[in-house]
Amino acid sequence: MSEARARRVGIMGGTFDPIHYGHLVAAEEAREAFRLDKIIFVPAGTPPHKVERQVTPARHRYLMTLLAIMGNPGFEASRVDLDRGRVTYTVDTLQDLRKGLPDTDMYFITGADAILEILSWKAPKEVLSLAEFIAVTRPGYGLDQLATALGPLYEPFQDRIHILEMPPMGISSTDLRRRLAEGRSIRYLLPEAVATYIQREGLYGTNDQGHLP
Ligand code: NAP
């Protein structure tokens, strides 16, 4: 008789300003590659490292996330970071999610660039103990710098950090914000429901353009 394995849940952490097909494809790839039972998208509240940039209000980023994942029964979204107050830290995110996910292996999925900064995060040791990490990166861009980036935490935690190589899709939230501000097309880069929401709410300067993104 085969032993029951622990439930495995992916926690897709990001600012999602806005969410796009790159994020959705990465989540689906991670779900398959790591045999995750589901993925919970967690839009960050006010990310600690972004206090200097005007981040779109969390309620918009959460609603865009809900619209983007609609129709995929393996995807959910959580308000856990939105409801916490101003600045949010991943250690708090994981602790809060853990309460609703007993006996579950958590896998925190995010961009490799973000993971390389992990030593500067709040309570990095605890963060790495609470979840395994899936670093989304382009092929050939491994985490060579991981040993340096993790310093003393590399030895005990290196086995808990996994790489997920994704073919480059050329989509980024930064590029989407720029395109929207310039009145350029964003068609085929993010779900149509998200594009319609952006237009309806006048996000990213679309009010000024009077155009359909
Ligand atoms: P970021 O610095 O804006 O993003 C770094 C790179 O990763 C960008 O290329 C970004 O592309 C990509 N990316 C972001 N989220 C991704 C995802 N889920 N899957 C694939 N690629 C992704 O990173 P961020 O979005 O602000 O933060 C990432 C996560 O780390 C968040 O959950 C945040 O709360 C956490 N974090 C925590 C701390 C802390 O606890 N002190 C500090 C920093 C970050 P796009 O711009 O196209 O998304």
Side-chain angles (χ1 to χ4, degrees):
M1 211 168 64
S2 67
E3 236 176 71
R5 71 167 172 85
R7 211 168 135 69
R8 298 153 75 100
V9 169
I11 312 295
M12 185 74 173
T15 308
F16 304 135
D17 193 15
I19 190 162
H20 53 68
Y21 280 131
H23 300 130
L24 296 168
V25 171
E28 187 65 7
E29 285 284 313
R31 193 178 67 77
E32 213 170 56
F34 292 85
R35 295 181 297 119
L36 304 175
D37 296 298
K38 68 175 174 181
I39 308 270
I40 305 176
F41 284 70
V42 186
T46 297
H49 54 307
K50 293 221 169 113
V51 277
E52 76 287 353
R53 170 170 94 69
Q54 194 66 35
V55 175
T56 305
R59 71 174 193 287
H60 286 310
R61 292 182 288 106
Y62 174 70
L63 285 173
M64 288 190 281
T65 302
L66 279 184
L67 290 168
I69 64 175
M70 239 174 7
N72 186 336
F75 288 177
E76 289 176 14
S78 167
R79 297 181 51 91
V80 72
D81 274 0
L82 278 57
D83 295 335
R84 194 180 300 112
R86 203 168 168 274
V87 173
T88 58
Y89 298 98
T90 298
V91 66
D92 304 321
T93 311
L94 293 173
Q95 277 170 345
D96 286 356
L97 288 171
R98 164 61 73 209
K99 291 175 199 152
L101 295 169
D103 309 320
T104 302
D105 293 334
M106 296 195 293
Y107 289 76
F108 191 82
I109 310 159
T110 198
D113 294 351
I115 289 178
L116 286 173
E117 303 280 313
I118 209 162
L119 261 199
S120 68
W121 294 14
K122 182 179 165 192
K125 197 169 167 184
E126 196 167 353
V127 168
L128 286 162
S129 308
L130 280 159
E132 299 203 27
F133 273 68
I134 300 176
V136 179
T137 183
R138 282 172 289 160
Y141 287 77
L143 288 182
D144 300 342
Q145 315 99 304
L146 194 62
T148 318
L150 283 185
L153 297 185
Y154 181 70
E155 196 58 33
F157 291 108
Q158 55 174 313
D159 294 343
R160 292 176 65 78
I161 302 183
H162 314 278
I163 294 178
L164 180 68
E165 288 196 346
M166 294 281 304
M169 291 178 69
I171 310 176
S172 75
S173 299
T174 307
D175 180 54
L176 284 166
R177 290 194 300 274
R178 193 177 308 124
R179 282 170 170 270
L180 286 159
E182 292 171 356
R184 293 169 57 205
S185 172
I186 56 165
R187 214 175 280 266
Y188 311 125
L189 300 176
L190 45 67
E192 221 169 293
V194 177
T196 306
Y197 182 90
I198 288 172
Q199 169 70 20
R200 203 186 65 209
E201 298 293 329
L203 303 180
Y204 310 110
T206 48
N207 258 348
D208 317 333
Q209 306 291 340
H211 74 294
L212 250 180

